Amino acid sequence: MEDEMTVFGAKADDDRDGRAGGGLWMPGLVNLGLGVPAILPLYLMWWLLTEYMPMDCRSIEDAAGPGVANCNYTTLDHAGVVMFLAAVTGVMFLVLVLVVDVLLPLRRGGRLGPWLGMAALIPIPFAVLVGLA
């Protein structure tokens, strides 16, 4: 008899790496689920890149200068708060990804490859929302 229990031709501990039984489904679904809270830091970065970066001014004093055509006072007013929130939520999300995609598979004795590979699915919920908007 074998030392390890086999179920339908697969060993019972094969599911630790996220490949047997469900294939890459578990890492894929978990990383898609991580994409939902990732919407907030990704949106904040999107706002900074599309609203704040294209402006000609970086402060209220710059707005009064000559030759400044593309300056929005509302964007200048919100830029500091958005930068702070982007930094805080980004760091919190990176810690979450580190725990879910690196530390938990290592703790369970699984392989990192499937989990880190499926991390590419994280921005998909944000891309869907941008596409729908």
Side-chain angles (χ1 to χ4, degrees):
M1 289 208 70
E2 294 181 88
D3 292 333
E4 298 181 37
M5 183 176 165
T6 58
V7 180
F8 299 108
K11 294 183 181 176
D13 64 347
D14 280 348
D15 197 23
R16 285 189 304 204
D17 64 355
R19 291 184 43 207
L24 296 175
W25 285 101
M26 182 60 82
L29 290 175
V30 168
N31 280 300
L32 278 174
L34 283 176
V36 175
I39 290 173
L40 181 61
L42 289 173
Y43 175 74
L44 293 171
M45 294 306 297
W46 178 271
W47 185 89
L48 286 170
L49 289 173
T50 59
E51 298 291 327
Y52 182 69
M53 293 301 291
M55 288 193 331
D56 294 335
C57 58
R58 296 289 175 244
S59 68
I60 301 286
E61 293 81 25
D62 293 345
V68 177
N70 183 18
C71 192
N72 185 343
Y73 292 108
T74 305
T75 303
L76 283 175
D77 189 37
H78 292 103
V81 175
V82 171
M83 284 184 216
F84 174 76
L85 288 176
V88 169
T89 59
V91 167
M92 289 180 359
F93 181 72
L94 287 176
V95 168
L96 179 65
V97 169
L98 176 72
V99 168
V100 171
D101 283 341
V102 176
L103 297 179
L104 289 178
L106 284 178
R107 184 171 184 231
R108 292 184 323 169
R111 295 182 326 159
L112 289 180
W115 289 91
L116 293 177
M118 289 294 139
L121 298 176
I122 291 173
I124 288 179
F126 176 71
V128 168
L129 287 179
V130 168
L132 290 175

